[in-house]
Amino acid sequence: MNRRILTLVAALIPVLVLGVLGSAVAVPFVALGPGPTFNTLGAVDGKDVVDVRGAEVDPTTGHLNMTTVSVRDQLSIFEAFGYWASGRHGLVPRSEVYPPGVSREEIDKSNQEDFQDSESNAEVAALHQLNLPTVVKLRKVTEDAPAKDVLREGDEIISIDDVQVGTPKDVVDAVSGRAPGTELTVRLRRADAEQTVQVTVGARPDDPAKGYLGVTPGEGARPPMQVAFNLADIGGPSAGLMFSLALIDKLTPGELDGEKFIAGTGTIEQDGKVGPIGGIQYKMMAAREAGAETFLVPAANCAEAHQRTPDGLRLVKVDNLAGALQSLDDLNAGRQTVGCS
């Protein structure tokens, strides 16, 4: 019996004894397994997963599927052994998924924020890759922000005190350089209409001498183009790469998948860098069962993925968005791609 099995049995014995005695006690483990996959080129509940408006969109009919991991909680001892014995799931300590002292609501909120950040990063990375213009938009206005009654999430910031804003850093610099109590004139676009508002600068919590509005500026598509991502109840940042690829596919001629079933995973930064994710073995399993032939793997996950590759699934190593696009082009042309080893 290997060490993994011995460790699991040792951890479950006390709970098993309680179960035999009739106590309804959940084991301190959760089961991870393959979750649903979603075609980022398709639709869910009648809405395009990646919805582009105000720009010419190239028809897409292929597959660029994002993948997920299922988490099953509050397991009985018998359910835990059943999932473990299935070969399709793994058991991990519950504390790794639901840290002690953190409420389920807080965890869900954090996961949703990560997912929204991945959508924003995916949009910006794709636009930069295509050399398309962007504008500065407010991604977040905190509840107790000095600007909470004046500025809103989604506002496009055009200028501050008659100085044009071109990057998110311009907003940060314009605000932090003003003394608390200073009144700023902000020109913005909201709901397709421009307006001017007055905002009083507050004191930054970690440095009271610097100005603070309590907003998070980011980038987005320049109007009239609008990009929306329509997947609900999905958390975490790992869909970023596939969202970016879907957006690029819709904004460029031809189809990135080359009539092949492509799936993948990976976080993405605004500069196009692709980062690692968790549960790679379950995501590959879900992809293959959905029909995928090729799976895009973040470089940092390659070693683990290579050890657990499902039969019939080709792995393609991805470092960044440009590299992913090149690999898809190579696949379509019948050229060699870099795999995982």
Side-chain angles (χ1 to χ4, degrees):
M1 188 178 293
N2 64 34
R3 181 177 296 178
R4 175 172 171 266
I5 297 175
L6 288 172
T7 301
L8 178 66
V9 171
L12 292 179
I13 282 176
V15 185
L16 179 60
V17 172
L18 289 174
V20 171
L21 294 175
S23 176
V25 177
V27 298
F29 291 86
V30 296
L32 304 182
T37 71
F38 299 92
N39 185 8
T40 58
L41 298 177
V44 173
D45 296 330
K47 296 181 179 180
D48 286 348
V49 173
V50 180
D51 187 20
V52 182
R53 301 188 180 186
E56 185 175 351
V57 176
D58 190 63
T60 54
T61 59
H63 281 272
L64 290 174
N65 280 40
M66 58 161 287
T67 51
T68 65
V69 176
S70 67
V71 180
R72 291 174 171 83
D73 191 16
Q74 298 300 315
L75 304 176
S76 71
I77 183 67
F78 305 106
E79 289 171 328
F81 268 120
Y83 281 123
W84 177 78
S86 72
R88 290 174 48 79
H89 297 80
L91 298 182
V92 300
R94 190 177 188 277
S95 59
E96 291 186 10
V97 179
Y98 303 109
V102 181
S103 71
R104 189 69 172 265
E105 291 74 19
E106 290 174 313
I107 294 171
D108 289 343
K109 181 180 179 181
S110 177
N111 286 337
Q112 280 302 311
E113 289 175 348
D114 286 344
F115 190 68
Q116 291 167 2
D117 287 344
S118 76
E119 293 175 332
S120 174
N121 286 352
E123 178 181 347
V124 175
L127 295 173
H128 286 179
Q129 179 66 37
L130 297 175
N131 293 316
L132 293 175
T134 62
V135 295
V136 176
K137 292 184 176 182
L138 297 186
R139 294 299 181 187
K140 182 184 296 184
V141 179
T142 58
E143 294 179 0
D144 58 349
K148 67 181 179 63
D149 295 325
V150 183
L151 300 179
R152 301 178 187 172
E153 291 183 15
D155 283 349
E156 176 191 337
I157 306 301
I158 300 171
S159 66
I160 297 177
D161 282 350
D162 295 325
V163 177
Q164 291 295 119
V165 168
T167 68
K169 186 176 183 297
D170 291 341
V171 176
V172 175
D173 291 344
V175 174
S176 63
R178 308 300 171 88
T182 303
E183 190 173 75
L184 299 179
T185 300
V186 179
R187 186 74 176 166
L188 59 86
R189 181 178 289 107
R190 179 186 298 164
D192 297 327
E194 288 191 16
Q195 58 181 283
T196 299
V197 298
Q198 305 297 319
V199 187
T200 301
V201 176
R204 205 165 89 178
D206 61 342
D207 189 347
K210 292 186 176 182
Y212 170 76
L213 289 183
V215 301
T216 303
E219 291 180 80
R222 175 175 290 177
M225 180 175 167
Q226 295 179 327
V227 178
F229 300 90
N230 297 304
L231 273 182
D233 301 322
I234 304 293
S238 63
L241 170 62
M242 303 312 292
F243 279 154
S244 280
L245 291 174
L247 180 53
I248 290 172
D249 205 359
K250 292 194 170 197
L251 293 175
T252 56
E255 300 206 21
L256 294 183
D257 69 343
E259 299 184 351
K260 301 177 179 65
F261 194 133
I262 308 293
T265 188
T267 66
I268 198 160
E269 300 297 329
Q270 294 187 0
D271 63 2
K273 182 180 179 181
V274 174
I277 50 80
I280 187 71
Q281 67 269 36
Y282 308 118
K283 293 183 175 183
M284 293 189 300
M285 189 183 300
R288 185 64 185 129
E289 291 174 355
E293 304 161 303
T294 299
F295 194 88
L296 306 180
V297 182
N301 290 116
C302 250
E304 180 184 5
H306 177 68
Q307 297 173 357
R308 301 167 182 258
T309 310
D311 290 341
L313 190 65
R314 180 208 305 257
L315 303 186
V316 174
K317 180 181 178 181
V318 176
D319 289 288
N320 51 50
L321 180 57
L325 292 168
Q326 182 61 56
S327 292
L328 291 176
D329 187 57
D330 289 341
L331 278 173
N332 296 340
R335 297 188 292 265
Q336 189 73 24
T337 58
V338 179
C340 290
S341 57

